[in-house]
Amino acid sequence: MKILGVVVLLLLFSCNSENNKSEIETKELKGTLDGYYDGKNVSASMRRYIEQWGQTEPTQNEFYSSFSYHGLKGLGYEEGISRRDPSTIIKVEDTYYVYYTRSPKTAPPVGYKKATKSLPANTWDMCDIYYATSKDGKTWKEQGITAARGPEGEFDDRSVFTPDIMVYKGKYYLYYQAVKFPYTERSKNVIGMSWSNSPEGPWHRHPEPVLVPGKPGKFGNDSSKRSDITEYGDFDSQKVHDPNLIVRDGKIWMYYKAHPMGVGSEHKAPRGVELKKPYPNFSMGVAIADSPEGPFVKHPLNPVSASGHEALVWPYKEGVASMITANGPEKNTIQWAKDGVNFEVKANIVLPPDAAGLYCKDKYDNTTNGIGFTWGMCHIAQSKSKPWAYLFGFKCDLSQEIEDLKHKGENIRFDAESRKKSTGRK
């Protein structure tokens, strides 16, 4: 009987293998370029080239771009001051405006455990939102504070950072990440808002957050690490941050970066607690509102991206495009969703800007035919030799309006120094 059972199992396995093989072989292609592959079987890679990439070289893909970088006068590196996380860049009459995270002049960051009321934990701690103006997008003049930290004891009394600016019905709205003192690895992060009748202020602080984290999990008691959890909560149970906005279908769409409680919990001790979560450590959600003050309602399909380090979106044609960088299985890609929710990978990119702010002139126009963009601003993160972040400019071709072959090149290579520093900033 045992021998008979083994024979039956082998026969079943053989039949299943033949069925799978037959299914692959009979899935013939249709509508290929010039009918060249119609009715033929191809390799898995060639099938992706045909079905996913449309038999199109990256240099002819509207969603593909390379990036070039340049310094910015007035916003470069400065000892003791961190400037980072630029907002969307807007133009009012003949002047460009950008809003960004800025620290006071301090000692270098000391980490969460050593941080005090006068010593920052990191380069986005103890910050306010500043703004700068420019006539050409290259030379900038820092003008001063827009959104300041809130009163002592409030949700935003420790730091406000990672801003985005929205122009809506003649008014200006700043959305930003906020934390209260003491600022630790486990601190909840929320999104606050201030508004003004002018891009230069005065700014009026909204008295409460417009978006807060989701259902919490439970932190462990054995350490103060954020990776030490005994239960996980929602995908955004610890932090909602890096807001990035568009106006679409007559509503305000706020895309945001999400962190759960227990980032890193999947690792073995001491780094983690070997507790896997059903969602990524880094993801992007979206919340939609009828008015700038909210309420912002989180979309039921959240997270809408399972990768990325910052939320970065812009209207493109009838849908929404997103630059996904740094983290997750689909990092360093441009993605697009016709409905603004169900994103698909459209291009792979190399060396994209960190924490980019775009000059996208129709971002808040409720457009049904988004044009895209060709330039913006990013930050150069802190390093051991330069412990304060600073702002940098970039160019690209992610626009319907131009065809810039300089920014459609492939075969991008890195020199020896870049490769040596690829696993750590020195």
Side-chain angles (χ1 to χ4, degrees):
M1 290 297 292
K2 288 184 178 179
I3 294 173
L4 179 61
V6 170
V7 170
V8 170
L9 286 172
L10 288 172
L11 286 171
L12 286 171
F13 179 78
S14 177
C15 289
N16 285 335
S17 297
E18 288 299 318
N19 287 338
N20 290 338
K21 182 179 178 183
S22 176
E23 183 181 342
I24 293 170
E25 288 179 348
T26 56
K27 190 179 179 183
E28 296 177 343
L29 294 161
K30 296 179 181 179
T32 63
L33 183 64
D34 291 336
Y36 186 85
Y37 287 109
D38 287 7
K40 297 179 182 178
N41 293 312
V42 296
S43 67
S45 178
M46 274 304 298
R47 186 173 290 277
R48 290 194 299 274
Y49 180 71
I50 294 164
E51 295 180 341
Q52 181 176 352
W53 303 112
Q55 291 176 274
T56 300
E57 291 296 304
T59 52
Q60 293 183 308
N61 180 352
E62 63 184 323
F63 292 99
Y64 173 76
S65 181
S66 54
F67 301 87
S68 61
Y69 294 89
H70 58 88
L72 297 171
K73 293 181 180 179
L75 296 175
Y77 184 76
E78 184 176 350
E79 287 285 331
I81 292 177
S82 177
R83 295 180 179 88
R84 52 178 296 143
D85 311 305
S87 70
T88 298
I89 298 164
I90 60 172
K91 190 175 186 180
V92 182
E93 296 179 352
D94 64 345
T95 302
Y96 295 105
Y97 291 80
V98 69
Y99 304 80
Y100 49 92
T101 306
R102 185 193 185 276
S103 71
K105 197 171 185 70
T106 65
V110 295
Y112 290 108
K113 291 183 178 180
K114 294 181 180 179
T116 66
K117 285 199 170 184
S118 59
L119 286 176
N122 46 51
T123 60
W124 54 93
D125 188 15
M126 296 173 57
C127 289
D128 302 291
I129 308 301
Y130 274 61
Y131 81 107
T133 58
S134 173
K135 296 296 184 181
D136 61 4
K138 298 176 182 178
T139 299
W140 293 83
K141 183 177 181 181
E142 187 167 83
Q143 301 289 355
I145 292 179
T146 55
R149 284 167 278 178
E152 187 173 353
E154 292 290 321
F155 70 90
D156 52 357
D157 69 355
R158 177 65 179 188
S159 194
V160 290
F161 47 112
T162 65
D164 198 25
I165 183 76
M166 181 181 72
V167 184
Y168 187 75
K169 295 185 177 180
K171 292 184 179 181
Y172 301 84
Y173 296 87
L174 275 170
Y175 296 87
Y176 43 83
Q177 188 173 347
V179 292
K180 68 181 301 181
F181 182 80
Y183 187 15
T184 72
E185 274 193 50
R186 294 181 170 185
S187 291
K188 296 280 186 177
N189 288 215
V190 300
I191 294 176
M193 185 269 283
S194 294
W195 67 273
S196 175
N197 289 313
S198 161
E200 299 180 0
W203 294 88
H204 308 278
R205 172 183 171 274
H206 194 64
E208 57 189 24
V210 295
L211 196 72
V212 298
K215 184 182 74 175
K218 289 184 179 179
F219 281 121
N221 296 319
D222 295 336
S223 74
S224 59
K225 293 181 178 179
R226 65 178 179 176
S227 61
D228 181 6
I229 57 170
T230 57
E231 293 181 20
Y232 54 76
D234 286 347
F235 78 103
D236 59 355
S237 54
Q238 185 184 355
K239 299 180 183 181
V240 291
H241 49 151
D242 285 31
N244 201 253
L245 295 102
I246 61 171
V247 177
R248 174 178 169 82
D249 298 333
K251 297 180 182 293
I252 300 164
W253 292 50
M254 179 194 290
Y255 292 83
Y256 63 96
K257 176 181 172 182
H259 268 162
M261 295 171 62
V263 168
S265 65
E266 65 276 7
H267 295 288
K268 293 181 179 180
R271 187 177 178 185
V273 291
E274 295 188 71
L275 176 56
K276 292 190 73 173
K277 302 176 293 296
Y279 40 69
N281 286 323
F282 293 80
S283 62
M284 181 173 73
V286 64
I288 303 171
D290 292 320
S291 69
E293 299 82 8
F296 282 89
V297 179
K298 296 178 183 179
H299 199 282
L301 294 185
N302 277 345
V304 295
S305 174
S307 298
H309 193 78
E310 299 93 13
L312 181 64
V313 296
W314 63 97
Y316 192 75
K317 293 188 170 178
E318 71 270 36
V320 179
S322 179
M323 187 184 297
I324 303 295
T325 68
N327 295 91
E330 294 178 348
K331 58 182 168 290
N332 297 340
T333 59
I334 301 295
Q335 302 191 14
W336 186 80
K338 186 175 182 179
D339 61 0
V341 174
N342 292 288
F343 286 89
E344 297 181 354
V345 174
K346 292 294 184 178
N348 296 293
I349 52 176
V350 178
L351 202 63
D354 290 338
L358 319 175
Y359 175 62
C360 183
K361 57 188 177 183
D362 60 358
K363 204 165 187 274
Y364 309 120
D365 290 351
N366 199 33
T367 181
T368 56
N369 185 26
I371 292 169
F373 69 98
T374 60
W375 67 277
M377 195 182 291
C378 60
H379 72 219
I380 303 298
Q382 66 281 359
S383 64
K384 291 180 181 178
S385 60
K386 290 186 174 181
W388 292 276
Y390 60 102
L391 300 177
F392 218 54
F394 72 88
K395 295 180 181 179
C396 62
D397 178 6
L398 289 167
S399 170
Q400 291 193 65
E401 291 187 316
I402 65 167
E403 185 177 359
D404 179 5
L405 296 180
K406 179 182 177 182
H407 289 103
K408 289 291 186 181
E410 289 190 278
N411 199 19
I412 299 166
R413 303 300 178 103
F414 300 94
D415 62 20
E417 288 303 309
S418 298
R419 292 175 186 273
K420 284 192 291 185
K421 295 176 181 178
S422 63
T423 56
R425 295 187 289 269
K426 297 181 180 179

